[in-house]
Amino acid sequence: MLKVEDLNVFYGDIQVLHEVSIEVREGEIVAILGVNAAGKTTLLNTIAGLTKKWNGTMTWMGQPLHRVPAFRRVEMGIVLVPEGRQLFPFMTVLENLELGAYSKAARREKERSLEFVFQLLPKLYERRHQLAGSLSGGEQQMVAIGRGLMAKPKLLMLDEPTLGLAPKIVHDVFQLIQDIRKSGVTILLVEQNMHQSLQVADRGYVLENGRVTISGSSEALLRNPTIREAYLGI
Amino acid sequence: MLLQLTVSGILLGGIYALIAVGLTLIFGVMRIVNFTHGDLVMLGMYLTYLLYKGFGLDPYISLFIVPLALFLIGVLIQKLVVQRVVGRPHEVQIFATVGLSMMLSNAVLAYFKGDYRSVQTTYSTDTIQIGPVFLGVPQIVAFGISAVITLVLFLFLKFTYTGKAIRATTQNRISATLMGIDVRRVYTMTFAIGSALAGIAAVLLMPLYPTYPSIGEAYLLIAFVVVVLGGLGSIPGALVGALIIGVVETVSAYYLGSGWKQAAYFVIFILVLIMRPQGLFGQRGAEQL
Ligand SMILES: Nc1ncnc2c1ncn2[C@@H]1O[C@H](COP(=O)(O)OP(=O)(O)OP(=O)(O)O)[C@@H](O)[C@H]1O
Ligand SMILES: [Mg+2]
């Protein structure tokens, strides 16, 4: 459903992604893996329409994304849950979730989506009248994901959803990701947590210094000697 | 006497609140200090004057026309000037809006000359007595309308989709985009609403005070002091700040002479900057509401 080919992305004169090609098919969980500064966030931001200077081709359901501004991509079903949650801190949990359903199609389904999100994340229902800025890191991550689901995504992109969370919560997040996929949403997951990501993902791409160096099915990646040595420490 | 002055000051502050809320809203959303804000009030006052002179329209009827006109002027200014400098360095933003401010006041000066223009209505000097206090009818009407408009604005920001989009953009511009919000459209709406509020204030001021081409500077100064006092970007802060400044103005004008009221603003301005730089309601800059 999403196809990125020979993508180059620049910040000013500095090129941070080099000829990156990835594909996401409907119903998959695809993981983008790599260490700090590899360019993972840049890749997701570019797919979401947030970076200005890029070339290459990006197509969504066969349509080129070249001239589509970021806010319209949300309407098309491409939804990013950004790194560091980025909630609206002076709004309540409920207001944050409702804003997730801002785009036209999502607005019509708002009540049903809310029910779905609260069913998936009952903790949020208890906290719905609390200011988002006052929640714990794990709860904030749940709000960020819930807010993304409110947009009725076809493709949900998650940028390091487990960053800074306790192991127990990390486990919950990975469980949640699988539940979301079961509900019919395709997922593009950026993670540094390679082992657990490959447990839930179908396929993965490894980014190094802005280039895709290794890619393949999760099983293949878990068996790959380079990955075992460099990333899994086995 | 002090009671009389305080009540008059609060009534005046209601109008200042409309001007200051617009300024603070625009700052909160676009992170731009709008130096044309006073000139928007000035344009509104001249429009009210023209409608009165040309068509005999009572200012309170102009209340249905002038804010609408200012809304459209706001859209134009946003699209032609402000949009181009959003996110640019402060010097660029200041040059652009100060330059536009000078253009507007000088255009009005060229057309109307420097004379004072005013609107005489039958009720301009009517007063009513409440206990020991005498209040001008136009002042009371102005305060009442300001209060209603402020409440409407509050409900708009709290409950409508556009209002929520404005608040979301204030709190996190990138996240707002990721919600599917067209941030550019939010900028335009915000600037236009701020301009319309200045237009409402202008109509309410017209039965009370004459206008002249450089009057915008005076209202810009007041709005600045109010916004700094209340906390940049904070709407509740702007409301409370406006009432305080209204009272400071009437009290200082009475006891020290009206030439001193600007000095009184500055004393307050400096005191706030020394004692509570974030303003009364400010929280880490302007992410509130
Ligand atoms: N707005 C920006 N302006 C300039 N350079 C940037 C910007 N954002 C990122 N970079 C640079 O681009 C490179 C890739 O950054 P990116 O954030 O995409 O990496 P990442 O893989 O997401 O890292 P992390 O795991 O730390 O989040 C880094 O060298 C970073 O310094
Ligand atoms: Mg990142």
Side-chain angles (χ1 to χ4, degrees):
Chain A
M1 72 199 316
L2 176 76
K3 217 171 192 161
V4 175
E5 279 168 309
D6 297 324
L7 182 70
N8 298 296
V9 182
F10 308 80
Y11 291 117
D13 292 331
I14 301 167
Q15 182 166 1
V16 296
L17 290 188
H18 303 263
E19 289 135 46
V20 169
S21 299
I22 68 161
E23 193 185 349
V24 182
R25 291 187 284 263
E26 202 157 349
E28 281 187 316
I29 298 181
V30 175
I32 308 284
L33 306 159
V35 296
N36 288 119
K40 306 180 297 294
T41 297
T42 302
L43 176 59
L44 290 199
N45 283 352
T46 306
I47 297 169
L50 295 178
T51 58
K52 291 207 176 69
K53 227 176 140 187
W54 62 274
N55 63 57
T57 54
M58 280 197 287
T59 55
W60 171 249
M61 315 258 195
Q63 307 261 10
L65 287 176
H66 261 271
R67 308 208 137 268
V68 183
F71 75 94
R72 285 213 194 290
R73 298 188 192 192
V74 179
E75 277 169 36
M76 297 165 81
I78 306 174
V79 175
L80 171 64
V81 176
E83 188 172 55
R85 356 267 194 230
Q86 309 288 341
L87 300 178
F88 302 112
F90 300 107
M91 293 191 195
T92 63
V93 168
L94 188 61
E95 285 178 303
N96 268 276
L97 292 176
E98 286 178 338
L99 269 166
Y102 184 87
S103 74
K104 275 209 187 70
R107 238 180 252 192
R108 270 181 261 121
E109 302 276 325
K110 193 176 89 181
E111 294 306 319
R112 222 174 317 157
S113 307
L114 255 185
E115 217 171 287
F116 171 69
V117 168
F118 284 145
Q119 196 187 330
L120 211 58
L121 299 159
K123 195 78 170 280
L124 293 191
Y125 184 76
E126 291 166 30
R127 298 287 156 108
R128 68 192 182 282
H129 296 305
Q130 204 169 318
L131 287 186
S134 71
L135 300 176
S136 74
E139 290 164 340
Q140 292 200 14
Q141 186 60 54
M142 299 301 174
V143 177
I145 295 175
R147 190 179 64 174
L149 289 172
M150 291 295 293
K152 300 248 81 187
K154 295 191 174 79
L155 174 68
L156 187 66
M157 301 191 284
L158 302 169
D159 194 346
E160 300 206 37
T162 65
L163 191 67
L165 303 183
K168 157 90 179 68
I169 318 269
V170 169
H171 178 266
D172 292 349
V173 170
F174 278 111
Q175 185 58 51
L176 177 65
I177 290 170
Q178 284 170 297
D179 292 344
I180 293 170
R181 185 249 294 267
K182 270 192 213 114
S183 77
V185 179
T186 307
I187 290 172
L188 183 56
L189 171 68
V190 156
E191 265 297 336
Q192 297 200 36
N193 204 325
M194 192 165 296
H195 193 76
Q196 294 195 65
S197 303
L198 289 175
Q199 301 285 317
V200 302
D202 302 302
R203 294 187 298 116
Y205 296 86
V206 177
L207 265 182
E208 273 174 75
N209 295 320
R211 292 173 202 276
V212 174
T213 50
I214 311 171
S215 65
S217 71
S218 295
E219 299 81 50
L221 292 181
L222 282 168
R223 280 198 308 268
N224 184 300
T226 320
I227 290 185
R228 289 173 75 88
E229 192 172 329
Y231 295 96
L232 300 174
I234 308 171
Chain B
M1 195 63 223
L2 199 59
L3 178 66
Q4 169 77 46
L5 291 170
T6 306
V7 176
S8 312
I10 287 175
L11 295 187
L12 183 63
I15 310 182
Y16 292 169
L18 291 181
I19 306 173
V21 162
L23 186 68
T24 214
L25 196 63
I26 290 170
F27 176 80
V29 172
M30 281 176 261
R31 295 299 149 130
I32 207 168
V33 176
N34 176 26
F35 281 91
T36 67
H37 211 72
D39 301 285
L40 295 170
V41 178
M42 180 272 293
L43 287 179
M45 290 178 88
Y46 273 95
L47 264 175
T48 311
Y49 169 78
L50 281 178
L51 290 170
Y52 167 78
K53 243 330 193 243
F55 304 95
L57 282 193
D58 186 277
Y60 294 137
I61 295 178
S62 300
L63 204 48
F64 295 93
I65 304 168
V66 172
L68 216 64
L70 262 292
F71 185 95
L72 297 177
I73 292 173
V75 171
L76 272 182
I77 293 180
Q78 157 67 16
K79 295 215 181 234
L80 295 178
V81 182
V82 176
Q83 181 62 52
R84 290 162 208 269
V85 296
V86 168
R88 305 274 297 278
H90 291 303
E91 314 83 85
V92 178
Q93 301 180 337
I94 292 170
F95 273 128
T97 62
V98 169
L100 180 64
S101 160
M102 289 183 351
M103 251 175 64
L104 292 173
S105 56
N106 281 302
V108 171
L109 177 64
Y111 189 80
F112 288 97
K113 307 291 175 262
D115 306 341
Y116 280 47
R117 311 277 174 160
S118 58
V119 165
Q120 259 83 41
T121 58
T122 51
Y123 48 79
S124 275
T125 53
D126 285 359
T127 56
I128 48 175
Q129 189 180 0
I130 303 170
V133 180
F134 287 87
L135 298 173
V137 169
Q139 275 93 344
I140 295 176
V141 172
F143 184 81
I145 292 177
S146 303
V148 170
I149 297 290
T150 308
L151 183 69
V152 169
L153 177 73
F154 181 79
L155 296 174
F156 168 78
L157 289 174
K158 188 87 188 161
F159 296 111
T160 68
Y161 268 104
T162 308
K164 287 179 192 174
I166 289 175
R167 284 159 63 216
T169 307
T170 309
Q171 292 180 22
N172 192 326
R173 189 173 51 82
I174 304 278
S175 277
T177 306
L178 293 177
M179 301 300 105
I181 292 170
D182 181 354
V183 166
R184 234 177 225 237
R185 192 178 150 266
V186 168
Y187 288 167
T188 305
M189 279 301 288
T190 305
F191 201 90
I193 289 170
S195 305
L197 291 173
I200 297 171
V203 176
L204 298 176
L205 284 165
M206 210 52 211
L208 297 170
Y209 302 106
T211 187
Y212 48 92
S214 62
I215 199 171
E217 293 166 16
Y219 289 118
L220 181 67
L221 173 67
I222 290 169
F224 270 165
V225 177
V226 167
V227 165
V228 170
L229 177 61
L232 269 175
S234 165
I235 290 181
L239 297 179
V240 174
L243 299 185
I244 293 174
I245 291 300
V247 173
V248 167
E249 173 169 336
T250 50
V251 171
S252 66
Y254 181 79
Y255 289 109
L256 303 172
S258 63
W260 285 93
K261 65 186 190 193
Q262 296 207 340
Y265 302 150
F266 273 118
V267 170
I268 297 224
F269 194 80
I270 290 165
L271 282 180
V272 171
L273 290 181
I274 292 171
M275 295 183 355
R276 200 175 153 82
Q278 76 275 38
L280 296 176
F281 287 69
Q283 248 189 32
R284 295 198 290 119
E287 277 99 12
Q288 261 190 336
L289 221 137

